[in-house]
Amino acid sequence: MFSAVLRGLSAFHDSHPFAAFATFSVIAIGLAYAALAEFFKPAGLRRGKTGRPPKLPPGPKGLPFLGSLFDLKEGRTDPEFKWLRGLSTNYGEMATLHLGAKTWVFLNSKRVVSEIIAKRGSATNTRSPMPVSSGIVSHGHRRSLLMTQEKWAEPRRVMHSLLSGSALKQYGAWQEMESTQMLAEYLFKPQLWYRHHYRYANSVIVRIALGERLVKSTKELEDMQNLVTYFVNSVGTSMLDWFPDLARLPTWLQFGRGQWDALDRWNYDVYSSWWAPVRNKILNGTAPPSFARDTLLHKDTKYTGSDEDAMYVAMQLIEAGSDTTREALNIMTMAALEHPEAFAKARADVDRVCGTGENVRLPMLDDMEDLRYICAMAKEVLRWRAIFPTTPDHTASQDIDFEGYHFPTGTGFVINTIAVGAECENPEDFCPDRWMDGHETDITHGLWQFGGGRRICVGYRLAQRSLFINIARLVQCFNYEANGPYNPKILNLEATDEPFPVKVTVRSPAYKKLIVAEAERDGVLQDAKLGREKL
Ligand code: HEM
């Protein structure tokens, strides 16, 4: 039979050589396409561990092979986030997207986020492989944010002990002191308001992680901020991240590999320049208390990673902790320009608790229970303009059945924070009052901007306290007005220079006096007066 087919093909080739060539080519291309399509089939279209066929929510069809990759790229950078909003209006609470060899289900409502990310957290706590962003540009150590479950458990264990419970009390004093310095910097250099946000955020987390107050030049700080921006922008921009099997090819066949290796080297050098002096002091016994000294490099804590792992854990904490807090304070500034009525209400709340005139004092972290409008404002800042329009994927480590759907192992779940944040009345308005529900002091109650489940942001309590103390003090002491045209939807969060034009002035000479006195008492007045070259 087979030889008869061969004889027939041979005869066809002899009699019609051109037609035969065309036919064979079409067949070969078809077979190659089918083989590749099978090899790169998105995770959500495969059978999972139970062997049952998938049943997924609806979603855009996308292109062959690439799926909706182009839409995702544009959708996450559009200042209006129309595409991300559309996923909710067009497909409902869940929308399935095939992205290269991955399948991500976008969770568009609080209800499904709570069901999948929180209630089923033990089955949705890993991440899909990202060879570039969590491997190549991280010197093979992987970014904690993107680590898969097996790799992540150890760094998460040590980070957790650092950022919860009693440790927060100790950090509170540092947060208040750095915040006082920030107010003084606002006084002396109001035009650099955005840099003061970064110095504050960076200084707090550097002190926690490495034990010392920040002594870095503007250039070093900019390097660090740029590094984070490049890293964040590297996530999902390479085909290797969407087709992780391609990372098994020889490196010379991996398109664009050179630029990722260069980013890795830069990253490694910047990290080492921050880490090495601290490590040396720890080794020769002269280092002050810190997460690095007392946890990562301390023999009693049994941290199982290598020295280099420790560096990546400490430095990633600094990365994750400083840029986000800085960005949130920039969003607060935009809210002050756009919604002066909310700003005035917040100031009245602070004045009620901290007084005015002769008896005025700065708000402290202990005022949180009494300053609930400020707590609500911190939540609204994060809802109103999302720092992360989508969270990283929470990938299923087992098959999941939910409301008639069957999600196979390997399906990723992503919180669409734009759609979820718009589940309220007049979502475009900046309205802290919407959070005055008795849960103001619990920043994750009803708010998914820190992610959720077992991968919830390690630093959310620290971040909450930073936002609280700084929002309370800034609304109390300073006035904001626009200093030129701007677009309220474009925050330029990545900019190292002024992201939008703002004129900041101190509320009155009495507040100037208060800030100077407090900065002097905390011993940070001189630091605040220094030029930005060394702080
Ligand atoms: C406004 C401030 C912040 C926001 C909006 C934010 C947001 C997030 C989000 C969305 C995630 C992913 C969560 C998930 O996958 O469900 C995350 C993870 C993380 N965040 Fe934050 N974050 C902030 C501040 C901080 C701070 C201050 C620190 C450190 C001190 C920090 C450290 C981390 C780390 C280490 C992870 C990785 C957690 C893991 O994968 O297990 N973040 N953050």
Side-chain angles (χ1 to χ4, degrees):
M1 163 76 176
F2 183 61
S3 52
V5 172
L6 277 184
R7 271 201 305 280
L9 288 175
S10 170
F12 176 50
H13 178 259
D14 292 343
S15 55
H16 302 88
F18 290 116
F21 176 75
T23 309
F24 295 154
S25 302
V26 167
I27 291 171
I29 291 170
L31 286 174
Y33 181 86
L36 281 175
E38 185 54 31
F39 188 74
F40 290 119
K41 190 151 126 184
L45 296 179
R46 297 170 184 269
R47 286 170 194 261
K49 286 182 181 163
T50 58
R52 284 173 46 208
K55 184 160 186 289
L56 304 172
K61 204 166 170 323
L63 298 169
F65 281 113
L66 298 177
S68 301
L69 276 179
F70 292 128
D71 291 337
L72 178 69
K73 186 165 180 283
E74 273 175 35
R76 284 207 282 211
T77 46
D78 165 21
E80 304 270 351
F81 297 114
K82 287 198 202 88
W83 180 79
L84 282 172
R85 288 178 210 282
L87 290 182
S88 157
T89 41
N90 297 334
Y91 303 103
E93 286 184 279
M94 292 187 280
T96 303
L97 276 94
H98 299 297
L99 302 157
K102 300 186 179 188
T103 299
W104 282 2
V105 176
F106 281 60
L107 305 175
N108 303 324
S109 77
K110 290 181 189 170
R111 189 186 76 82
V112 292
V113 171
S114 165
E115 289 292 336
I116 301 281
I117 301 293
K119 293 190 189 153
R120 289 162 183 75
S122 61
T124 54
N125 65 357
T126 192
R127 309 268 199 227
S128 60
M130 286 268 181
V132 170
S133 24
S134 67
I136 298 170
V137 301
S138 309
H139 226 62
H141 291 276
R142 307 185 143 234
R143 292 305 224 259
S144 48
L145 191 66
L146 299 169
M147 276 178 188
T148 54
Q149 196 181 345
E150 323 80 67
K151 300 259 183 183
W152 146 89
E154 178 62 355
R156 175 91 192 191
R157 178 180 73 78
V158 286
M159 282 187 194
H160 218 262
S161 66
L162 168 82
L163 293 171
S164 56
S166 55
L168 285 178
K169 278 208 162 35
Q170 182 192 351
Y171 308 147
W174 296 344
Q175 286 175 295
E176 285 169 349
M177 190 195 78
E178 295 295 353
S179 160
T180 307
Q181 178 168 332
M182 189 181 88
L183 296 183
E185 287 165 348
Y186 252 73
L187 265 188
F188 300 129
K189 298 216 165 145
Q191 72 282 11
L192 296 180
W193 56 273
Y194 52 97
R195 283 213 192 146
H196 309 324
H197 295 170
Y198 189 50
R199 193 213 58 82
Y200 164 84
N202 202 273
S203 196
V204 166
I205 188 68
V206 165
R207 182 138 186 211
I208 294 171
L210 306 181
E212 289 178 346
R213 291 204 68 213
L214 189 67
V215 186
K216 294 284 171 199
S217 66
T218 303
K219 162 86 178 60
E220 285 168 309
L221 284 180
E222 278 186 5
D223 263 0
M224 183 56 117
Q225 191 184 324
N226 282 331
L227 194 67
V228 179
T229 301
Y230 273 92
F231 165 66
V232 171
N233 289 342
S234 79
V235 178
T237 48
S238 162
M239 280 300 149
L240 294 183
D241 277 348
W242 298 108
F243 297 95
D245 282 318
L246 292 179
R248 290 196 250 157
L249 291 171
T251 44
W252 59 271
L253 275 177
Q254 293 172 20
F255 183 70
R257 173 76 190 231
Q259 61 167 312
W260 304 125
D261 286 335
L263 180 55
D264 176 40
R265 282 192 299 278
W266 178 38
N267 192 133
Y268 186 84
D269 290 345
V270 172
Y271 272 18
S272 303
S273 69
W274 286 55
W275 172 254
V278 173
R279 185 178 169 279
N280 290 344
K281 282 192 191 161
I282 294 174
L283 293 184
N284 67 27
T286 58
S290 71
F291 175 57
R293 190 193 82 170
D294 304 326
T295 305
L296 288 174
L297 298 183
H298 199 288
K299 56 181 174 17
D300 291 348
T301 47
K302 300 187 173 60
Y303 172 63
T304 57
S306 67
D307 249 31
E308 235 179 45
D309 285 329
M311 171 174 94
Y312 271 81
V313 171
M315 294 308 296
Q316 283 165 38
L317 207 59
I318 293 171
E319 258 185 25
S322 31
D323 229 30
T324 41
T325 308
R326 168 189 75 81
E327 292 181 12
L329 290 174
N330 286 6
I331 297 172
M332 184 226 76
T333 311
M334 180 61 90
L337 301 186
E338 283 292 289
H339 291 272
E341 72 295 343
F343 190 86
K345 202 165 170 181
R347 178 174 281 180
D349 202 30
V350 177
D351 288 351
R352 177 181 58 78
V353 171
C354 299
T356 50
E358 285 295 296
N359 296 325
V360 67
R361 66 168 176 86
L362 289 179
M364 307 298 277
L365 284 167
D366 280 346
D367 293 319
M368 221 180 231
E369 282 293 334
D370 296 327
L371 288 173
R372 288 179 166 258
Y373 191 82
I374 302 296
C375 297
M377 191 151 162
K379 290 176 93 165
E380 183 65 348
V381 159
L382 296 177
R383 185 206 65 83
W384 186 57
R385 295 284 184 265
I387 292 176
F388 297 109
T390 58
T391 59
D393 58 315
H394 287 232
T395 291
S397 51
Q398 61 191 64
D399 289 13
I400 294 176
D401 287 296
F402 175 65
E403 300 187 347
Y405 294 114
H406 179 71
F407 300 104
T409 310
T411 308
F413 296 95
V414 170
I415 305 176
N416 180 351
T417 63
I418 300 298
V420 171
E423 276 190 313
C424 56
E425 256 180 51
N426 305 322
E428 263 316 303
D429 290 352
F430 180 84
C431 177
D433 278 295
R434 67 173 94 245
W435 297 103
M436 298 297 281
D437 56 1
H439 299 284
E440 302 85 3
T441 57
D442 178 356
I443 200 159
T444 58
H445 188 276
L447 183 80
W448 293 97
Q449 254 65 7
F450 291 101
R454 300 198 179 182
R455 297 306 286 249
I456 193 166
C457 170
V458 175
Y460 78 84
R461 288 198 184 89
L462 191 75
Q464 175 189 23
R465 291 157 76 84
S466 277
L467 294 186
F468 169 80
I469 193 72
N470 289 310
I471 293 176
R473 290 173 168 197
L474 290 170
V475 299
Q476 180 194 35
C477 298
F478 291 96
N479 297 323
Y480 294 86
E481 58 187 300
N483 201 20
Y486 67 93
N487 178 337
K489 298 240 166 103
I490 300 186
L491 282 100
N492 291 321
L493 289 178
E494 292 167 358
T496 50
D497 49 6
E498 190 176 40
F500 44 91
V502 180
K503 184 165 173 227
V504 185
T505 43
V506 69
R507 181 173 170 187
S508 76
Y511 288 89
K512 181 174 178 185
K513 201 169 138 206
L514 171 69
I515 294 169
V516 169
E518 288 296 319
E520 198 150 27
R521 197 173 57 90
D522 279 356
V524 293
L525 189 63
Q526 292 314 315
D527 285 347
K529 280 183 180 164
L530 285 178
R532 281 291 299 162
E533 273 317 306
K534 278 283 178 195
L535 285 173

